[in-house]
Amino acid sequence: MTIPSAEGFLPAASCLPCTAEEERAAVDALTREADANVKDGDLRYLISQRYKGGPEISRKVICEDPTSRRYIVDVYPLHLTLIDERDNSARTIKLSRKAKVSELYRLVCSLLSVEQSKVHIWDHYQKLKNKKLTNRNETLEEAQLLMDQEILLEVSADDIWSSDHRTRSTSNELALLPLEPTTSSFSIAGGPNFSNGYSSGIGSSLSQDNSLNPLVRDTEDGYSIFSNGTKDDIHGLTGLHNLGNTCFMNSAIQSLVHTPPLVEYFLKEYTQEINTENPLGLQGELAVAFAELLRKLWTAGRTSVPPRAFKSKLSRFAPQFSGYNQHDSQELLAFLLDGLHEDLNRVKKKPYIEAKDADDRPDEEFAEECWNYHKARNDSIIVDKFQGQYKSTLVCPECNKISVTFDPFMYLSLPLPSTVTRMMTVTVFSGTGDSLPMPYTVTVPKNGVCRDLCKALSDACCLKESETLLLGEVYDYRIYRYFSPLELLHIIKDGDQLVAYKLPAGHEKLLRIEILHRNVDRFTPEPQFNARKLIGSPLVTCIPNDSTRKADIYAAVSAVLAPFVRAKVHAPGESLLNGSRPSLDGIVLKDNGASCEKGLSTSNVDEATSDAEFLPFKLYLSDDKGHIRNPVEEDSDHVFGLPMRLLMGWSDKEHEIYNLKYMDDLPDVFKPGFMSKKTRQEAVNLFSCLDAFLKDEPLGPDDMWYCPCCKEHRQASKKLDLWRLPEILVVHLKRFSYSRYMKNKLDTFVNFPIHDLDMTKYAKHTSGGDQPHIYELYAVINHYGGLGGGHYSAYAKLIEEDSWYHFDDSHVSTVNEEETRTSAAYLLFYRRVDGNSCAMADVVPVDTHMVDSLEA
């Protein structure tokens, strides 16, 4: 595949970018607007058209996953700095990470015109001779070569290396020392079987492959256990090198290796629990790699460790974490816990268990049955310490069918209140004319329905029991649509303008009147409308179906307009028409608390009052857009069951009597600005996040539930409860929000307790009677920055010292306990403090030789 570069973007028209960073930037700029799924030729054409050609950058297509036969373009090949030991010259070579070591030898020998038999290439990470690349059948990725690292070339005059050269080449290695025999007979990845600490082929294996020797493996990772760096007798204070955007991995690892039960488990003999037969596992390799890394981190006196071996294993089994792009630390943590569980699952053959319904059984009985079924297939240290149990209740909105299930969980993903709710502003109008319109801003669930919005508005405007709200949207000064109670709120955009009309309860049985407004030139029996554009906000009222006389209609409209009368025009006791006739402004719809239809009545005003000579306004029968204008007559026809739409003409006289400004400029549902910035600064506590997570809410439109009674998918309401809490409680604060149109990170400060997190009221089931669920914080993963780029670090507590430390990749420093509470907190790790919890003080620190013998 060839990708034309951007003309003018490259450093020079005649040369390609000279460094890996420049080349990655160039390729990113070229492909930013290209769809990842377009064909090769289409991509070339698209970029060529955009940038008018340019030099070509050749890239290979490599097999990313042999099992699924998935192929990708190797956009970022491996850049290696070749150091020639003869003259210390350096040059950059580029190869695919899937290329064989033999290809590396051929390329180097071709560039330097030397014979392969006289060449040896060393992994020269951090300028140390870590490992000689002897296995020419493995890939560069399997050889753990990293982007932009050094490799060292040694060339001899003949194949026989002199003793002094041999000494010089191994100056950074350790002599092979006798190892303490172990009782493990476990082997993986084709390594030798150890029995009583010995192997039939161990001597030759060690001479050919240093990876089998734990002491040499230390130097392969770029450090020595006898490092000249600063030593400390305190265990667990070793940092991790950043291999290139691996801070997300480092923070997750540091949090797990400071989890007391895991430290105790992996520092002891754990290999008898490795499950190499589990098809869902990684044949034990992930567990072994994690255990080796944990033991190195818990050895006193070590400097920071580059987790290259662990990263290599992780990339093999989770291709989404391969390469050196930034990833989500929570996603890695979820994969790592699940992978460790499957590798350490004590169940060798999982039985098939058919799921059963509750069948109205007590929750305690059904929950215990579900947990036992889960344990029959999943039994590991991860299940014992990290897994709890949910109770999920679904209720069908149509038939009220209740479905209860109990499911396991590994961590709690808690939404911040601002991510599950939204603020909406709605203008409430009175349909009986007892108050001016008033905008109300309420908070409703994002995935809620219009019924939730009406309920919030009812509480905000103190709606009477005899009243109800009719919710609608106004567009172009007319009613665009009405909303039904079960319509989803997500269809309402922030820029929409919503209104709610207070009407008598049971208004559906009455005749609804909608009143539109338009300016006229003068007040005459036949006024001339000077524009087709409507003005103001539509008003809504209702009258009995059999009260459609002209006087009834005018009386109802006059009542709705009563709050808009200017005070200087209509003083108390004064009529609108300067005393010539009684005003219709006093004619209102009465509600005596009885049924709606009986409670509605009109005045017995003489029909003559409806003459144009005495009326303060003129009404016309119209359509929903105000285009039709038919005067309201005594015998005006109206179709039963449809709303009556009226058009009111506004001349200078109407403007003098009524104040139209209360109907103009309806507010938007939500306007970003000061309010959104203020909301972002407001702090919330962990319990409000828990309450938002456990709140009863309707399912989203893309997550409908199939009701077994209705035989249809329904937008059921869902309620979660915490039934069984684990010993180690991991809390994920969902700071990243994704929608169809935007991505965002919330920097809201969440006030979480460090000590005495009491979860007793949330746990519906307690296995130990009335024993409280009290938790204590021991680790925090932080994320700084935004979605475009950021950095992860971790706080972890050494329980035996009762002190906190900041693990920022390879840098480890002390930190005060209160400083661990920041707005960057992303993942919280709690341990239950009771008689059954594991204390770090019970973990016996091991010395270097003991750890290395365990690794063997």
Side-chain angles (χ1 to χ4, degrees), residues 490-507:
H490 77 86
I491 66 175
I492 301 175
K493 304 298 185 292
D494 287 345
D496 294 343
Q497 295 178 335
L498 298 190
V499 291
Y501 299 100
K502 290 196 292 186
L503 299 174
H507 65 86

Side-chain angles (χ1 to χ4, degrees), residues 55-118:
E56 293 183 345
I57 301 175
S58 299
R59 291 293 180 264
K60 290 185 176 181
V61 175
I62 60 176
C63 182
E64 178 71 10
D65 186 1
T67 57
S68 61
R69 300 178 66 104
R70 185 163 64 94
Y71 295 87
I72 63 171
V73 177
D74 192 12
V75 178
Y76 303 122
L78 196 61
H79 289 235
L80 300 173
T81 301
L82 176 64
I83 306 297
D84 192 337
E85 194 181 52
R86 297 172 296 181
D87 55 5
N88 288 327
S89 62
R91 67 188 68 199
T92 300
I93 60 175
K94 303 174 187 177
L95 271 176
S96 170
R97 53 191 170 89
K98 295 294 184 180
K100 302 284 187 181
V101 172
S102 58
E103 296 181 49
L104 175 63
Y105 271 87
R106 283 197 297 270
L107 178 61
V108 170
C109 293
S110 175
L111 288 174
L112 301 179
S113 300
V114 294
E115 297 180 13
Q116 287 195 35
S117 60
K118 298 182 180 182

